[in-house]
Amino acid sequence: CSGSHDESVKVFEANTSAEIASFSGHGKVTSVAFSPDGKLICSGSEDTTVKVFAVGTGGEVVSFNRHSDRVTSVGFSPDGKLVCCGSNDTTVKVFEVETGIEIGSFSGHSAGVFSVAFSPDGTLICSGSFDKTVKMFTVGGDESKTHTDSKKDSRCRCYLRMELSQSRDGFVGSCIGKLHAESDGTAPALLVSS
């Protein structure tokens, strides 16, 4: 699937490149993600909204508007029940797909968040920021807290390969690889490998 500054989200057939679905409903699209079962698409936009669409029907499932600046990255939990989103407002938010209810809001970055992802077990969210840090947040209840990298917290390891490129507006970053959960028994960690 793809998101565009023409304010659309499109799905293409992989073998033929034929467009098989198109969704609209918010501003310039900055990020898209498929649900693990491939039945839903989540999109983030410059208009501060996150929308979830049903691939089969083309209908909007839920809309989430709790950021104060553009949404730069979205991702589904491994079970497809949650969506996390990062924003230029420096926060990471988590909401339920079924209800649109926000179940978590995490801060700690001093600049915009450009990448978010769930751990394979869905208990952690990893975020990358223009402040040149990677943070991990525990999802759920009173245990939500920020984990830092191994130089600041010996109980936690967070590995992420990031690429930065110069653009007209500054630096643009991207995460490359796959998340892996690790733990030494005292704290969770993520490993992103290519």
PDB file of all heavy atoms in Angstrom, residues 164-191:
ATOM      1  N   LEU A 164      20.116   8.322   8.010  1.00  0.00           N
ATOM      2  CA  LEU A 164      19.736   9.724   7.904  1.00  0.00           C
ATOM      3  C   LEU A 164      20.185  10.249   6.562  1.00  0.00           C
ATOM      4  O   LEU A 164      21.276   9.938   6.087  1.00  0.00           O
ATOM      5  CB  LEU A 164      20.388  10.555   9.013  1.00  0.00           C
ATOM      6  CG  LEU A 164      19.922  10.301  10.426  1.00  0.00           C
ATOM      7  CD1 LEU A 164      20.744  11.132  11.400  1.00  0.00           C
ATOM      8  CD2 LEU A 164      18.458  10.635  10.579  1.00  0.00           C
ATOM      9  N   SER A 165      19.332  11.026   5.950  1.00  0.00           N
ATOM     10  CA  SER A 165      19.722  11.659   4.694  1.00  0.00           C
ATOM     11  C   SER A 165      19.352  13.133   4.749  1.00  0.00           C
ATOM     12  O   SER A 165      18.380  13.515   5.392  1.00  0.00           O
ATOM     13  CB  SER A 165      19.026  10.974   3.518  1.00  0.00           C
ATOM     14  OG  SER A 165      17.627  11.039   3.658  1.00  0.00           O
ATOM     15  N   GLN A 166      20.160  13.938   4.098  1.00  0.00           N
ATOM     16  CA  GLN A 166      19.923  15.380   4.073  1.00  0.00           C
ATOM     17  C   GLN A 166      18.767  15.679   3.125  1.00  0.00           C
ATOM     18  O   GLN A 166      18.685  15.143   2.039  1.00  0.00           O
ATOM     19  CB  GLN A 166      21.182  16.101   3.591  1.00  0.00           C
ATOM     20  CG  GLN A 166      21.089  17.605   3.634  1.00  0.00           C
ATOM     21  CD  GLN A 166      21.243  18.153   5.036  1.00  0.00           C
ATOM     22  OE1 GLN A 166      21.978  17.614   5.832  1.00  0.00           O
ATOM     23  NE2 GLN A 166      20.543  19.209   5.333  1.00  0.00           N
ATOM     24  N   SER A 167      17.847  16.514   3.577  1.00  0.00           N
ATOM     25  CA  SER A 167      16.761  16.963   2.717  1.00  0.00           C
ATOM     26  C   SER A 167      16.702  18.482   2.766  1.00  0.00           C
ATOM     27  O   SER A 167      17.412  19.119   3.546  1.00  0.00           O
ATOM     28  CB  SER A 167      15.423  16.371   3.168  1.00  0.00           C
ATOM     29  OG  SER A 167      14.973  17.022   4.332  1.00  0.00           O
ATOM     30  N   ARG A 168      15.835  19.038   1.983  1.00  0.00           N
ATOM     31  CA  ARG A 168      15.676  20.495   1.924  1.00  0.00           C
ATOM     32  C   ARG A 168      15.318  21.053   3.295  1.00  0.00           C
ATOM     33  O   ARG A 168      15.733  22.130   3.674  1.00  0.00           O
ATOM     34  CB  ARG A 168      14.585  20.807   0.900  1.00  0.00           C
ATOM     35  CG  ARG A 168      14.226  22.244   0.762  1.00  0.00           C
ATOM     36  CD  ARG A 168      13.255  22.422  -0.392  1.00  0.00           C
ATOM     37  NE  ARG A 168      12.141  21.507  -0.298  1.00  0.00           N
ATOM     38  CZ  ARG A 168      10.906  21.871  -0.020  1.00  0.00           C
ATOM     39  NH1 ARG A 168      10.622  23.126   0.189  1.00  0.00           N
ATOM     40  NH2 ARG A 168       9.942  20.982   0.032  1.00  0.00           N
ATOM     41  N   ASP A 169      14.538  20.305   4.075  1.00  0.00           N
ATOM     42  CA  ASP A 169      14.045  20.778   5.367  1.00  0.00           C
ATOM     43  C   ASP A 169      14.903  20.314   6.545  1.00  0.00           C
ATOM     44  O   ASP A 169      14.543  20.520   7.684  1.00  0.00           O
ATOM     45  CB  ASP A 169      12.609  20.310   5.585  1.00  0.00           C
ATOM     46  CG  ASP A 169      11.679  20.814   4.510  1.00  0.00           C
ATOM     47  OD1 ASP A 169      11.794  21.997   4.140  1.00  0.00           O
ATOM     48  OD2 ASP A 169      10.857  20.019   4.041  1.00  0.00           O
ATOM     49  N   GLY A 170      16.006  19.631   6.289  1.00  0.00           N
ATOM     50  CA  GLY A 170      16.824  19.129   7.383  1.00  0.00           C
ATOM     51  C   GLY A 170      17.162  17.674   7.155  1.00  0.00           C
ATOM     52  O   GLY A 170      17.421  17.261   6.034  1.00  0.00           O
ATOM     53  N   PHE A 171      17.117  16.877   8.204  1.00  0.00           N
ATOM     54  CA  PHE A 171      17.434  15.469   8.086  1.00  0.00           C
ATOM     55  C   PHE A 171      16.159  14.637   8.104  1.00  0.00           C
ATOM     56  O   PHE A 171      15.221  14.912   8.834  1.00  0.00           O
ATOM     57  CB  PHE A 171      18.351  15.016   9.232  1.00  0.00           C
ATOM     58  CG  PHE A 171      19.758  15.478   9.060  1.00  0.00           C
ATOM     59  CD1 PHE A 171      20.203  16.621   9.689  1.00  0.00           C
ATOM     60  CD2 PHE A 171      20.630  14.771   8.250  1.00  0.00           C
ATOM     61  CE1 PHE A 171      21.501  17.057   9.527  1.00  0.00           C
ATOM     62  CE2 PHE A 171      21.937  15.201   8.082  1.00  0.00           C
ATOM     63  CZ  PHE A 171      22.369  16.338   8.723  1.00  0.00           C
ATOM     64  N   VAL A 172      16.159  13.595   7.301  1.00  0.00           N
ATOM     65  CA  VAL A 172      15.051  12.650   7.267  1.00  0.00           C
ATOM     66  C   VAL A 172      15.615  11.307   7.681  1.00  0.00           C
ATOM     67  O   VAL A 172      16.675  10.908   7.206  1.00  0.00           O
ATOM     68  CB  VAL A 172      14.447  12.552   5.843  1.00  0.00           C
ATOM     69  CG1 VAL A 172      13.373  11.507   5.796  1.00  0.00           C
ATOM     70  CG2 VAL A 172      13.902  13.904   5.419  1.00  0.00           C
ATOM     71  N   GLY A 173      14.937  10.603   8.554  1.00  0.00           N
ATOM     72  CA  GLY A 173      15.448   9.335   9.033  1.00  0.00           C
ATOM     73  C   GLY A 173      14.508   8.198   8.739  1.00  0.00           C
ATOM     74  O   GLY A 173      13.331   8.386   8.500  1.00  0.00           O
ATOM     75  N   SER A 174      15.051   6.999   8.741  1.00  0.00           N
ATOM     76  CA  SER A 174      14.212   5.820   8.572  1.00  0.00           C
ATOM     77  C   SER A 174      14.830   4.666   9.338  1.00  0.00           C
ATOM     78  O   SER A 174      16.040   4.584   9.485  1.00  0.00           O
ATOM     79  CB  SER A 174      14.064   5.457   7.097  1.00  0.00           C
ATOM     80  OG  SER A 174      15.319   5.138   6.545  1.00  0.00           O
ATOM     81  N   CYS A 175      13.971   3.787   9.826  1.00  0.00           N
ATOM     82  CA  CYS A 175      14.436   2.580  10.490  1.00  0.00           C
ATOM     83  C   CYS A 175      14.453   1.459   9.471  1.00  0.00           C
ATOM     84  O   CYS A 175      13.542   1.347   8.670  1.00  0.00           O
ATOM     85  CB  CYS A 175      13.499   2.187  11.627  1.00  0.00           C
ATOM     86  SG  CYS A 175      13.545   3.330  12.993  1.00  0.00           S
ATOM     87  N   ILE A 176      15.486   0.659   9.507  1.00  0.00           N
ATOM     88  CA  ILE A 176      15.611  -0.435   8.564  1.00  0.00           C
ATOM     89  C   ILE A 176      15.803  -1.707   9.364  1.00  0.00           C
ATOM     90  O   ILE A 176      16.635  -1.775  10.243  1.00  0.00           O
ATOM     91  CB  ILE A 176      16.823  -0.212   7.642  1.00  0.00           C
ATOM     92  CG1 ILE A 176      16.600   1.058   6.829  1.00  0.00           C
ATOM     93  CG2 ILE A 176      17.055  -1.418   6.758  1.00  0.00           C
ATOM     94  CD1 ILE A 176      17.779   1.450   6.011  1.00  0.00           C
ATOM     95  N   GLY A 177      15.020  -2.719   9.054  1.00  0.00           N
ATOM     96  CA  GLY A 177      15.209  -4.001   9.700  1.00  0.00           C
ATOM     97  C   GLY A 177      13.965  -4.548  10.332  1.00  0.00           C
ATOM     98  O   GLY A 177      12.856  -4.152   9.997  1.00  0.00           O
ATOM     99  N   LYS A 178      14.153  -5.476  11.238  1.00  0.00           N
ATOM    100  CA  LYS A 178      13.054  -6.173  11.876  1.00  0.00           C
ATOM    101  C   LYS A 178      13.246  -6.130  13.387  1.00  0.00           C
ATOM    102  O   LYS A 178      14.354  -6.296  13.885  1.00  0.00           O
ATOM    103  CB  LYS A 178      13.019  -7.621  11.391  1.00  0.00           C
ATOM    104  CG  LYS A 178      11.863  -8.408  11.916  1.00  0.00           C
ATOM    105  CD  LYS A 178      11.842  -9.788  11.310  1.00  0.00           C
ATOM    106  CE  LYS A 178      10.655 -10.547  11.836  1.00  0.00           C
ATOM    107  NZ  LYS A 178      10.612 -11.913  11.346  1.00  0.00           N
ATOM    108  N   LEU A 179      12.151  -5.902  14.103  1.00  0.00           N
ATOM    109  CA  LEU A 179      12.226  -5.854  15.561  1.00  0.00           C
ATOM    110  C   LEU A 179      12.330  -7.257  16.147  1.00  0.00           C
ATOM    111  O   LEU A 179      11.696  -8.190  15.685  1.00  0.00           O
ATOM    112  CB  LEU A 179      10.959  -5.207  16.125  1.00  0.00           C
ATOM    113  CG  LEU A 179      10.876  -3.706  15.985  1.00  0.00           C
ATOM    114  CD1 LEU A 179       9.483  -3.250  16.361  1.00  0.00           C
ATOM    115  CD2 LEU A 179      11.905  -3.038  16.857  1.00  0.00           C
ATOM    116  N   HIS A 180      13.139  -7.376  17.164  1.00  0.00           N
ATOM    117  CA  HIS A 180      13.236  -8.614  17.930  1.00  0.00           C
ATOM    118  C   HIS A 180      13.175  -8.253  19.403  1.00  0.00           C
ATOM    119  O   HIS A 180      13.762  -7.274  19.822  1.00  0.00           O
ATOM    120  CB  HIS A 180      14.569  -9.325  17.668  1.00  0.00           C
ATOM    121  CG  HIS A 180      14.760  -9.736  16.257  1.00  0.00           C
ATOM    122  ND1 HIS A 180      14.195 -10.861  15.728  1.00  0.00           N
ATOM    123  CD2 HIS A 180      15.432  -9.135  15.254  1.00  0.00           C
ATOM    124  CE1 HIS A 180      14.521 -10.953  14.457  1.00  0.00           C
ATOM    125  NE2 HIS A 180      15.280  -9.920  14.144  1.00  0.00           N
ATOM    126  N   ALA A 181      12.458  -9.021  20.182  1.00  0.00           N
ATOM    127  CA  ALA A 181      12.409  -8.778  21.622  1.00  0.00           C
ATOM    128  C   ALA A 181      13.493  -9.599  22.293  1.00  0.00           C
ATOM    129  O   ALA A 181      13.719 -10.748  21.948  1.00  0.00           O
ATOM    130  CB  ALA A 181      11.047  -9.151  22.173  1.00  0.00           C
ATOM    131  N   GLU A 182      14.161  -9.003  23.240  1.00  0.00           N
ATOM    132  CA  GLU A 182      15.173  -9.681  24.042  1.00  0.00           C
ATOM    133  C   GLU A 182      14.980  -9.276  25.491  1.00  0.00           C
ATOM    134  O   GLU A 182      14.423  -8.232  25.772  1.00  0.00           O
ATOM    135  CB  GLU A 182      16.591  -9.240  23.652  1.00  0.00           C
ATOM    136  CG  GLU A 182      17.113  -9.768  22.381  1.00  0.00           C
ATOM    137  CD  GLU A 182      18.569  -9.364  22.186  1.00  0.00           C
ATOM    138  OE1 GLU A 182      19.128  -8.665  23.050  1.00  0.00           O
ATOM    139  OE2 GLU A 182      19.131  -9.760  21.169  1.00  0.00           O
ATOM    140  N   SER A 183      15.445 -10.090  26.387  1.00  0.00           N
ATOM    141  CA  SER A 183      15.423  -9.706  27.785  1.00  0.00           C
ATOM    142  C   SER A 183      16.520 -10.452  28.509  1.00  0.00           C
ATOM    143  O   SER A 183      16.814 -11.594  28.211  1.00  0.00           O
ATOM    144  CB  SER A 183      14.076 -10.037  28.419  1.00  0.00           C
ATOM    145  OG  SER A 183      14.097  -9.711  29.788  1.00  0.00           O
ATOM    146  N   ASP A 184      17.127  -9.781  29.464  1.00  0.00           N
ATOM    147  CA  ASP A 184      18.110 -10.449  30.307  1.00  0.00           C
ATOM    148  C   ASP A 184      17.469 -10.879  31.625  1.00  0.00           C
ATOM    149  O   ASP A 184      18.138 -11.208  32.577  1.00  0.00           O
ATOM    150  CB  ASP A 184      19.316  -9.543  30.548  1.00  0.00           C
ATOM    151  CG  ASP A 184      18.954  -8.261  31.288  1.00  0.00           C
ATOM    152  OD1 ASP A 184      17.787  -8.123  31.710  1.00  0.00           O
ATOM    153  OD2 ASP A 184      19.842  -7.416  31.453  1.00  0.00           O
ATOM    154  N   GLY A 185      16.136 -10.832  31.681  1.00  0.00           N
ATOM    155  CA  GLY A 185      15.417 -11.227  32.869  1.00  0.00           C
ATOM    156  C   GLY A 185      15.032 -10.059  33.765  1.00  0.00           C
ATOM    157  O   GLY A 185      14.174 -10.201  34.617  1.00  0.00           O
ATOM    158  N   THR A 186      15.652  -8.910  33.572  1.00  0.00           N
ATOM    159  CA  THR A 186      15.338  -7.760  34.418  1.00  0.00           C
ATOM    160  C   THR A 186      14.625  -6.661  33.653  1.00  0.00           C
ATOM    161  O   THR A 186      13.937  -5.851  34.261  1.00  0.00           O
ATOM    162  CB  THR A 186      16.616  -7.171  35.041  1.00  0.00           C
ATOM    163  OG1 THR A 186      17.498  -6.736  34.000  1.00  0.00           O
ATOM    164  CG2 THR A 186      17.309  -8.188  35.913  1.00  0.00           C
ATOM    165  N   ALA A 187      14.796  -6.603  32.348  1.00  0.00           N
ATOM    166  CA  ALA A 187      14.136  -5.565  31.560  1.00  0.00           C
ATOM    167  C   ALA A 187      14.043  -6.012  30.107  1.00  0.00           C
ATOM    168  O   ALA A 187      14.888  -6.762  29.634  1.00  0.00           O
ATOM    169  CB  ALA A 187      14.918  -4.253  31.635  1.00  0.00           C
ATOM    170  N   PRO A 188      13.023  -5.585  29.419  1.00  0.00           N
ATOM    171  CA  PRO A 188      12.892  -5.966  28.014  1.00  0.00           C
ATOM    172  C   PRO A 188      13.846  -5.165  27.139  1.00  0.00           C
ATOM    173  O   PRO A 188      14.358  -4.125  27.538  1.00  0.00           O
ATOM    174  CB  PRO A 188      11.441  -5.577  27.706  1.00  0.00           C
ATOM    175  CG  PRO A 188      11.132  -4.488  28.655  1.00  0.00           C
ATOM    176  CD  PRO A 188      11.941  -4.771  29.891  1.00  0.00           C
ATOM    177  N   ALA A 189      14.078  -5.685  25.954  1.00  0.00           N
ATOM    178  CA  ALA A 189      14.912  -4.965  24.993  1.00  0.00           C
ATOM    179  C   ALA A 189      14.433  -5.288  23.590  1.00  0.00           C
ATOM    180  O   ALA A 189      13.722  -6.260  23.381  1.00  0.00           O
ATOM    181  CB  ALA A 189      16.364  -5.363  25.155  1.00  0.00           C
ATOM    182  N   LEU A 190      14.814  -4.481  22.659  1.00  0.00           N
ATOM    183  CA  LEU A 190      14.478  -4.691  21.254  1.00  0.00           C
ATOM    184  C   LEU A 190      15.743  -4.765  20.446  1.00  0.00           C
ATOM    185  O   LEU A 190      16.709  -4.085  20.721  1.00  0.00           O
ATOM    186  CB  LEU A 190      13.647  -3.517  20.720  1.00  0.00           C
ATOM    187  CG  LEU A 190      12.256  -3.317  21.321  1.00  0.00           C
ATOM    188  CD1 LEU A 190      11.621  -2.069  20.724  1.00  0.00           C
ATOM    189  CD2 LEU A 190      11.402  -4.520  21.070  1.00  0.00           C
ATOM    190  N   LEU A 191      15.710  -5.577  19.424  1.00  0.00           N
ATOM    191  CA  LEU A 191      16.811  -5.646  18.483  1.00  0.00           C
ATOM    192  C   LEU A 191      16.233  -5.457  17.105  1.00  0.00           C
ATOM    193  O   LEU A 191      15.286  -6.143  16.726  1.00  0.00           O
ATOM    194  CB  LEU A 191      17.518  -7.006  18.570  1.00  0.00           C
ATOM    195  CG  LEU A 191      18.572  -7.299  17.513  1.00  0.00           C
ATOM    196  CD1 LEU A 191      19.728  -6.318  17.655  1.00  0.00           C
ATOM    197  CD2 LEU A 191      19.043  -8.727  17.640  1.00  0.00           C
TER     198      LEU A 191
END
